[in-house]
Amino acid sequence: MKIHQMRAFNELMVAKSVSEAARNLRRSQPSVSATIASLEEDLGMQLFERRNGRLLPVPEAEYLHKECSEILLRLETIGQNIRRIKAIESGHISIACMPGPSVFYLPGIIADQFTSRPEVSCTMVSRSSDAVRQLMAAQHHDIGIADYERGMEEDTSLIRTTVFRFECLCAVPRDDSLAEAKAITPKDLRSKPMGALYEDHATYMATAQAFASRSCDMNVRFRAQYFLPILTYVERGLAYAIVDPIAAESYRIYSAGNNKLTFLPFKPTVYFEIALILPALRPASRITQHFVDNLTDEFRRIGGQDGLAQPTHG
């Protein structure tokens, strides 16, 4: 049974006459009649009887009409969905993200991009960077965002990774005397209380090395898994912190214009590197690729540079 036969039969069942069905289908009457005849021949049974000049369906035709209607409706739905997907108006994105960006930064990007696309849905899970890489290697999500560690082995047969490098900033209370500086150095922070990530994190190690290179002590008073909690201590004047631009952007979103901090360049430069990961065995959908393109533009907007990993301090 062919699709054009289904459409002609379905229209005839509704219109009750060949001439009306032909008008609705924008076809000639002989063409519709020939299509119905070919359908009856293919099925090996008569579908209509003429009585007193009227075309009446046999009982079996009623069953066939129900089945054809459902199939045609399903085909139309599929066509509409494909058109929406092509227009990047429909679909689902699954994201695995390390904790920091998952709180304010990434939800803000998702909201901005999908406000005008009500039929796009998104799932985001927050995991450690190691767990994100494992989930992406297992092809469980469309997009992964994780810390990039220099020297880490990437299985390119399972994942595709783009590394973005950012220059870290120094978070300073807005009313602090250091807030007027053009850049902050380890000497400015010598023995001052600091907030930092754990000792095995690449950003902490690079910051500690920058302090050591200037023969300055780094006095870590507060530690956390990611930077947003640390910025609360900076707000209260209890610490300073060397943070990545994504954390700074997250704070600006969180503070909604009432921010009590300023973010200044830190010299020598401490680099923060982030990996944008795609599953190698799952081709990206149009909506996923659209999101990746926009996320890449957003990373670049706040200073991210694509390319190979660079030294962790300079």
Side-chain angles (χ1 to χ4, degrees):
M1 194 170 183
K2 301 176 178 63
I3 297 299
H4 75 281
Q5 293 174 326
M6 286 189 190
R7 291 198 173 102
F9 169 73
N10 197 61
E11 192 60 45
L12 182 54
M13 288 292 292
V14 174
K16 307 297 185 185
S17 77
V18 175
S19 59
E20 183 70 18
R23 278 194 294 272
N24 294 341
L25 293 169
R26 297 183 180 181
R27 293 170 57 183
S28 68
Q29 187 171 333
S31 173
V32 172
S33 296
T35 299
I36 297 300
S38 70
L39 174 59
E40 290 178 325
E41 183 178 352
D42 289 347
L43 295 176
M45 62 182 295
Q46 185 179 357
L47 296 173
F48 298 93
E49 295 179 352
R50 283 195 175 274
R51 296 180 188 172
N52 302 322
R54 298 177 60 194
L55 199 63
L56 301 176
V58 301
E60 292 79 5
E62 298 290 351
Y63 163 77
L64 187 59
H65 178 220
K66 179 178 181 297
E67 296 295 324
C68 287
S69 296
E70 292 178 358
I71 292 171
L72 291 172
L73 178 60
R74 180 61 180 154
L75 287 173
E76 178 60 27
T77 300
I78 292 172
Q80 291 175 355
N81 289 341
I82 290 298
R83 287 190 289 274
R84 290 192 191 101
I85 291 170
K86 287 178 66 177
I88 320 178
E89 294 177 355
S90 179
H92 181 79
I93 296 178
S94 178
I95 303 173
C97 183
M98 61 186 185
S102 70
V103 181
F104 294 109
Y105 180 71
L106 196 57
I109 295 173
I110 293 169
D112 288 343
Q113 293 191 30
F114 295 164
T115 295
S116 60
R117 297 181 175 89
E119 295 187 30
V120 175
S121 58
C122 179
T123 299
M124 180 173 62
V125 298
S126 179
R127 299 288 187 271
S128 69
S129 290
D130 285 343
V132 169
R133 286 188 286 270
Q134 291 171 10
L135 287 170
M136 297 308 298
Q139 318 295 297
H140 284 325
H141 296 276
D142 299 310
I143 301 169
I145 300 169
D147 286 315
Y148 179 77
E149 299 177 12
R150 297 186 74 241
M152 62 183 283
E153 301 248 338
E154 298 281 10
D155 189 343
T156 56
S157 67
L158 296 176
I159 58 175
R160 293 182 287 120
T161 301
T162 302
V163 179
F164 292 85
R165 184 192 64 178
F166 299 84
E167 294 185 5
C168 287
L169 305 168
C170 183
V172 177
R174 190 170 288 278
D175 58 0
D176 192 277
S177 60
L178 291 177
E180 301 301 320
K182 292 184 179 180
I184 303 297
T185 69
K187 290 184 178 179
D188 296 320
L189 301 176
R190 184 197 299 266
S191 299
K192 292 184 181 295
M194 299 286 294
L197 303 185
Y198 292 110
E199 293 181 352
D200 59 351
H201 193 278
T203 302
Y204 171 79
M205 291 188 287
T207 303
Q209 190 171 350
F211 270 71
S213 70
R214 299 301 188 269
S215 301
C216 295
D217 295 330
M218 184 174 171
N219 175 25
V220 178
R221 184 180 182 189
F222 302 101
R223 290 192 186 276
Q225 185 180 4
Y226 54 101
F227 283 122
L228 278 178
I230 289 173
L231 293 179
T232 299
Y233 305 132
V234 181
E235 267 192 345
R236 303 287 182 89
L238 299 175
Y240 301 86
I242 310 304
V243 306
D244 62 80
I246 292 177
E249 196 68 16
S250 297
Y251 176 79
R252 293 187 183 104
I253 296 170
Y254 162 75
S255 62
N258 298 317
N259 49 306
K260 301 175 182 179
L261 303 180
T262 186
F263 296 90
L264 302 171
F266 181 77
K267 300 298 178 182
T269 303
V270 170
Y271 291 108
F272 166 72
E273 293 168 338
I274 193 171
L276 177 58
I277 308 170
L278 299 179
L281 305 182
R282 287 176 57 178
S285 66
R286 289 173 62 88
I287 189 65
T288 296
Q289 189 58 55
H290 179 72
F291 184 82
V292 168
D293 292 342
N294 282 314
L295 183 58
T296 296
D297 290 341
E298 173 61 21
F299 283 164
R300 290 170 179 162
R301 183 187 70 80
I302 61 173
Q305 298 179 7
D306 310 43
L308 298 175
Q310 298 294 319
T312 51
H313 73 95

